[in-house]
mmCIF file with all atom_site columns, all heavy atoms in Angstrom:
data_model
loop_
_atom_site.group_PDB
_atom_site.id
_atom_site.type_symbol
_atom_site.label_atom_id
_atom_site.label_alt_id
_atom_site.label_comp_id
_atom_site.label_asym_id
_atom_site.label_entity_id
_atom_site.label_seq_id
_atom_site.pdbx_PDB_ins_code
_atom_site.Cartn_x
_atom_site.Cartn_y
_atom_site.Cartn_z
_atom_site.occupancy
_atom_site.B_iso_or_equiv
_atom_site.pdbx_formal_charge
_atom_site.auth_seq_id
_atom_site.auth_comp_id
_atom_site.auth_asym_id
_atom_site.auth_atom_id
_atom_site.pdbx_PDB_model_num
ATOM 1   N N   . HIS O 1 20 ? -103.452 6.265  131.202 1.00 94.00 ? 128 HIS O N   1
ATOM 2   C CA  . HIS O 1 20 ? -102.683 7.246  130.581 1.00 94.00 ? 128 HIS O CA  1
ATOM 3   C C   . HIS O 1 20 ? -102.878 7.457  129.182 1.00 94.00 ? 128 HIS O C   1
ATOM 4   O O   . HIS O 1 20 ? -102.455 8.474  128.618 1.00 94.00 ? 128 HIS O O   1
ATOM 5   C CB  . HIS O 1 20 ? -101.292 6.944  130.921 1.00 94.00 ? 128 HIS O CB  1
ATOM 6   C CG  . HIS O 1 20 ? -100.870 7.105  132.348 1.00 94.00 ? 128 HIS O CG  1
ATOM 7   N ND1 . HIS O 1 20 ? -100.746 8.214  133.022 1.00 94.00 ? 128 HIS O ND1 1
ATOM 8   C CD2 . HIS O 1 20 ? -100.614 6.123  133.301 1.00 94.00 ? 128 HIS O CD2 1
ATOM 9   C CE1 . HIS O 1 20 ? -100.370 8.082  134.289 1.00 94.00 ? 128 HIS O CE1 1
ATOM 10  N NE2 . HIS O 1 20 ? -100.370 6.742  134.407 1.00 94.00 ? 128 HIS O NE2 1
ATOM 11  N N   . ALA O 1 21 ? -103.357 6.472  128.486 1.00 95.00 ? 129 ALA O N   1
ATOM 12  C CA  . ALA O 1 21 ? -103.607 6.460  127.013 1.00 95.00 ? 129 ALA O CA  1
ATOM 13  C C   . ALA O 1 21 ? -104.915 5.909  126.628 1.00 95.00 ? 129 ALA O C   1
ATOM 14  O O   . ALA O 1 21 ? -105.621 5.406  127.480 1.00 95.00 ? 129 ALA O O   1
ATOM 15  C CB  . ALA O 1 21 ? -102.510 5.597  126.464 1.00 95.00 ? 129 ALA O CB  1
ATOM 16  N N   . PRO O 1 22 ? -105.390 6.178  125.464 1.00 96.00 ? 130 PRO O N   1
ATOM 17  C CA  . PRO O 1 22 ? -106.649 5.656  124.979 1.00 96.00 ? 130 PRO O CA  1
ATOM 18  C C   . PRO O 1 22 ? -106.749 4.201  125.375 1.00 96.00 ? 130 PRO O C   1
ATOM 19  O O   . PRO O 1 22 ? -105.814 3.395  125.179 1.00 96.00 ? 130 PRO O O   1
ATOM 20  C CB  . PRO O 1 22 ? -106.728 5.868  123.454 1.00 96.00 ? 130 PRO O CB  1
ATOM 21  C CG  . PRO O 1 22 ? -105.826 7.119  123.182 1.00 96.00 ? 130 PRO O CG  1
ATOM 22  C CD  . PRO O 1 22 ? -104.719 6.969  124.340 1.00 96.00 ? 130 PRO O CD  1
ATOM 23  N N   . ALA O 1 23 ? -107.925 3.837  125.808 1.00 97.00 ? 131 ALA O N   1
ATOM 24  C CA  . ALA O 1 23 ? -108.148 2.499  126.395 1.00 97.00 ? 131 ALA O CA  1
ATOM 25  C C   . ALA O 1 23 ? -109.575 2.051  126.207 1.00 97.00 ? 131 ALA O C   1
ATOM 26  O O   . ALA O 1 23 ? -110.503 2.965  126.106 1.00 97.00 ? 131 ALA O O   1
ATOM 27  C CB  . ALA O 1 23 ? -107.821 2.487  127.819 1.00 97.00 ? 131 ALA O CB  1
ATOM 28  N N   . VAL O 1 24 ? -109.837 0.725  126.155 1.00 97.00 ? 132 VAL O N   1
ATOM 29  C CA  . VAL O 1 24 ? -111.156 0.161  126.289 1.00 97.00 ? 132 VAL O CA  1
ATOM 30  C C   . VAL O 1 24 ? -111.431 -0.289 127.578 1.00 97.00 ? 132 VAL O C   1
ATOM 31  O O   . VAL O 1 24 ? -110.587 -1.154 128.054 1.00 97.00 ? 132 VAL O O   1
ATOM 32  C CB  . VAL O 1 24 ? -111.338 -0.909 125.102 1.00 97.00 ? 132 VAL O CB  1
ATOM 33  C CG1 . VAL O 1 24 ? -112.618 -1.654 125.241 1.00 97.00 ? 132 VAL O CG1 1
ATOM 34  C CG2 . VAL O 1 24 ? -111.137 -0.285 123.849 1.00 97.00 ? 132 VAL O CG2 1
ATOM 35  N N   . LEU O 1 25 ? -112.576 0.037  128.139 1.00 96.00 ? 133 LEU O N   1
ATOM 36  C CA  . LEU O 1 25 ? -113.033 -0.441 129.469 1.00 96.00 ? 133 LEU O CA  1
ATOM 37  C C   . LEU O 1 25 ? -114.497 -0.948 129.396 1.00 96.00 ? 133 LEU O C   1
ATOM 38  O O   . LEU O 1 25 ? -115.245 -0.593 128.392 1.00 96.00 ? 133 LEU O O   1
ATOM 39  C CB  . LEU O 1 25 ? -112.879 0.741  130.503 1.00 96.00 ? 133 LEU O CB  1
ATOM 40  C CG  . LEU O 1 25 ? -111.504 1.431  130.625 1.00 96.00 ? 133 LEU O CG  1
ATOM 41  C CD1 . LEU O 1 25 ? -111.770 2.704  131.499 1.00 96.00 ? 133 LEU O CD1 1
ATOM 42  C CD2 . LEU O 1 25 ? -110.435 0.496  131.130 1.00 96.00 ? 133 LEU O CD2 1
ATOM 43  N N   . THR O 1 26 ? -114.937 -1.627 130.442 1.00 95.00 ? 134 THR O N   1
ATOM 44  C CA  . THR O 1 26 ? -116.207 -2.060 130.536 1.00 95.00 ? 134 THR O CA  1
ATOM 45  C C   . THR O 1 26 ? -116.773 -1.530 131.922 1.00 95.00 ? 134 THR O C   1
ATOM 46  O O   . THR O 1 26 ? -115.977 -1.259 132.798 1.00 95.00 ? 134 THR O O   1
ATOM 47  C CB  . THR O 1 26 ? -116.518 -3.579 130.410 1.00 95.00 ? 134 THR O CB  1
ATOM 48  O OG1 . THR O 1 26 ? -115.727 -4.177 131.382 1.00 95.00 ? 134 THR O OG1 1
ATOM 49  C CG2 . THR O 1 26 ? -116.040 -4.018 129.031 1.00 95.00 ? 134 THR O CG2 1
ATOM 50  N N   . ASP O 1 27 ? -118.164 -1.297 131.942 1.00 92.00 ? 135 ASP O N   1
ATOM 51  C CA  . ASP O 1 27 ? -118.674 -0.912 133.253 1.00 92.00 ? 135 ASP O CA  1
ATOM 52  C C   . ASP O 1 27 ? -119.645 -2.042 133.706 1.00 92.00 ? 135 ASP O C   1
ATOM 53  O O   . ASP O 1 27 ? -119.972 -2.912 132.996 1.00 92.00 ? 135 ASP O O   1
ATOM 54  C CB  . ASP O 1 27 ? -119.306 0.492  133.080 1.00 92.00 ? 135 ASP O CB  1
ATOM 55  C CG  . ASP O 1 27 ? -120.587 0.537  132.557 1.00 92.00 ? 135 ASP O CG  1
ATOM 56  O OD1 . ASP O 1 27 ? -121.179 -0.531 132.109 1.00 92.00 ? 135 ASP O OD1 1
ATOM 57  O OD2 . ASP O 1 27 ? -121.279 1.592  132.415 1.00 92.00 ? 135 ASP O OD2 1
ATOM 58  N N   . PRO O 1 28 ? -120.045 -1.895 134.972 1.00 91.00 ? 136 PRO O N   1
ATOM 59  C CA  . PRO O 1 28 ? -120.830 -2.935 135.469 1.00 91.00 ? 136 PRO O CA  1
ATOM 60  C C   . PRO O 1 28 ? -122.311 -3.140 134.753 1.00 91.00 ? 136 PRO O C   1
ATOM 61  O O   . PRO O 1 28 ? -122.808 -4.176 134.904 1.00 91.00 ? 136 PRO O O   1
ATOM 62  C CB  . PRO O 1 28 ? -121.233 -2.508 136.942 1.00 91.00 ? 136 PRO O CB  1
ATOM 63  C CG  . PRO O 1 28 ? -120.114 -1.529 137.182 1.00 91.00 ? 136 PRO O CG  1
ATOM 64  C CD  . PRO O 1 28 ? -119.621 -0.883 135.959 1.00 91.00 ? 136 PRO O CD  1
ATOM 65  N N   . THR O 1 29 ? -122.729 -2.223 133.997 1.00 91.00 ? 137 THR O N   1
ATOM 66  C CA  . THR O 1 29 ? -123.876 -2.335 133.254 1.00 91.00 ? 137 THR O CA  1
ATOM 67  C C   . THR O 1 29 ? -123.651 -3.119 131.879 1.00 91.00 ? 137 THR O C   1
ATOM 68  O O   . THR O 1 29 ? -124.722 -3.438 131.224 1.00 91.00 ? 137 THR O O   1
ATOM 69  C CB  . THR O 1 29 ? -124.568 -1.009 132.858 1.00 91.00 ? 137 THR O CB  1
ATOM 70  O OG1 . THR O 1 29 ? -123.822 -0.182 131.981 1.00 91.00 ? 137 THR O OG1 1
ATOM 71  C CG2 . THR O 1 29 ? -124.832 -0.121 134.158 1.00 91.00 ? 137 THR O CG2 1
ATOM 72  N N   . GLY O 1 30 ? -122.532 -3.402 131.543 1.00 91.00 ? 138 GLY O N   1
ATOM 73  C CA  . GLY O 1 30 ? -122.077 -4.124 130.340 1.00 91.00 ? 138 GLY O CA  1
ATOM 74  C C   . GLY O 1 30 ? -121.763 -3.086 129.232 1.00 91.00 ? 138 GLY O C   1
ATOM 75  O O   . GLY O 1 30 ? -121.478 -3.525 128.053 1.00 91.00 ? 138 GLY O O   1
ATOM 76  N N   . ALA O 1 31 ? -121.741 -1.760 129.542 1.00 94.00 ? 139 ALA O N   1
ATOM 77  C CA  . ALA O 1 31 ? -121.418 -0.778 128.338 1.00 94.00 ? 139 ALA O CA  1
ATOM 78  C C   . ALA O 1 31 ? -119.857 -0.992 128.193 1.00 94.00 ? 139 ALA O C   1
ATOM 79  O O   . ALA O 1 31 ? -119.042 -1.339 129.043 1.00 94.00 ? 139 ALA O O   1
ATOM 80  C CB  . ALA O 1 31 ? -121.730 0.623  128.829 1.00 94.00 ? 139 ALA O CB  1
ATOM 81  N N   . ILE O 1 32 ? -119.571 -0.807 126.913 1.00 96.00 ? 140 ILE O N   1
ATOM 82  C CA  . ILE O 1 32 ? -118.127 -0.703 126.547 1.00 96.00 ? 140 ILE O CA  1
ATOM 83  C C   . ILE O 1 32 ? -117.665 0.692  126.288 1.00 96.00 ? 140 ILE O C   1
ATOM 84  O O   . ILE O 1 32 ? -118.458 1.521  125.530 1.00 96.00 ? 140 ILE O O   1
ATOM 85  C CB  . ILE O 1 32 ? -117.929 -1.612 125.241 1.00 96.00 ? 140 ILE O CB  1
ATOM 86  C CG1 . ILE O 1 32 ? -118.273 -2.965 125.503 1.00 96.00 ? 140 ILE O CG1 1
ATOM 87  C CG2 . ILE O 1 32 ? -116.462 -1.502 124.751 1.00 96.00 ? 140 ILE O CG2 1
ATOM 88  C CD1 . ILE O 1 32 ? -118.353 -3.877 124.230 1.00 96.00 ? 140 ILE O CD1 1
ATOM 89  N N   . LEU O 1 33 ? -116.484 1.088  126.902 1.00 96.00 ? 141 LEU O N   1
ATOM 90  C CA  . LEU O 1 33 ? -116.186 2.433  126.830 1.00 96.00 ? 141 LEU O CA  1
ATOM 91  C C   . LEU O 1 33 ? -114.818 2.549  126.087 1.00 96.00 ? 141 LEU O C   1
ATOM 92  O O   . LEU O 1 33 ? -113.870 1.943  126.480 1.00 96.00 ? 141 LEU O O   1
ATOM 93  C CB  . LEU O 1 33 ? -115.979 2.999  128.250 1.00 96.00 ? 141 LEU O CB  1
ATOM 94  C CG  . LEU O 1 33 ? -117.035 2.775  129.281 1.00 96.00 ? 141 LEU O CG  1
ATOM 95  C CD1 . LEU O 1 33 ? -116.541 3.087  130.702 1.00 96.00 ? 141 LEU O CD1 1
ATOM 96  C CD2 . LEU O 1 33 ? -118.318 3.472  128.829 1.00 96.00 ? 141 LEU O CD2 1
ATOM 97  N N   . ALA O 1 34 ? -114.823 3.433  125.073 1.00 97.00 ? 142 ALA O N   1
ATOM 98  C CA  . ALA O 1 34 ? -113.526 3.695  124.349 1.00 97.00 ? 142 ALA O CA  1
ATOM 99  C C   . ALA O 1 34 ? -113.146 5.001  124.857 1.00 97.00 ? 142 ALA O C   1
ATOM 100 O O   . ALA O 1 34 ? -113.616 6.136  124.435 1.00 97.00 ? 142 ALA O O   1
ATOM 101 C CB  . ALA O 1 34 ? -113.751 3.704  122.851 1.00 97.00 ? 142 ALA O CB  1
ATOM 102 N N   . VAL O 1 35 ? -112.183 5.122  125.747 1.00 97.00 ? 143 VAL O N   1
ATOM 103 C CA  . VAL O 1 35 ? -111.742 6.302  126.470 1.00 97.00 ? 143 VAL O CA  1
ATOM 104 C C   . VAL O 1 35 ? -110.597 6.999  125.631 1.00 97.00 ? 143 VAL O C   1
ATOM 105 O O   . VAL O 1 35 ? -109.588 6.363  125.289 1.00 97.00 ? 143 VAL O O   1
ATOM 106 C CB  . VAL O 1 35 ? -111.255 5.947  127.797 1.00 97.00 ? 143 VAL O CB  1
ATOM 107 C CG1 . VAL O 1 35 ? -110.782 7.188  128.655 1.00 97.00 ? 143 VAL O CG1 1
ATOM 108 C CG2 . VAL O 1 35 ? -112.294 5.272  128.593 1.00 97.00 ? 143 VAL O CG2 1
#
Side-chain angles (χ1 to χ4, degrees):
H128 290 284
V132 174
L133 307 172
T134 58
D135 78 358
T137 69
I140 299 171
L141 314 171
V143 178

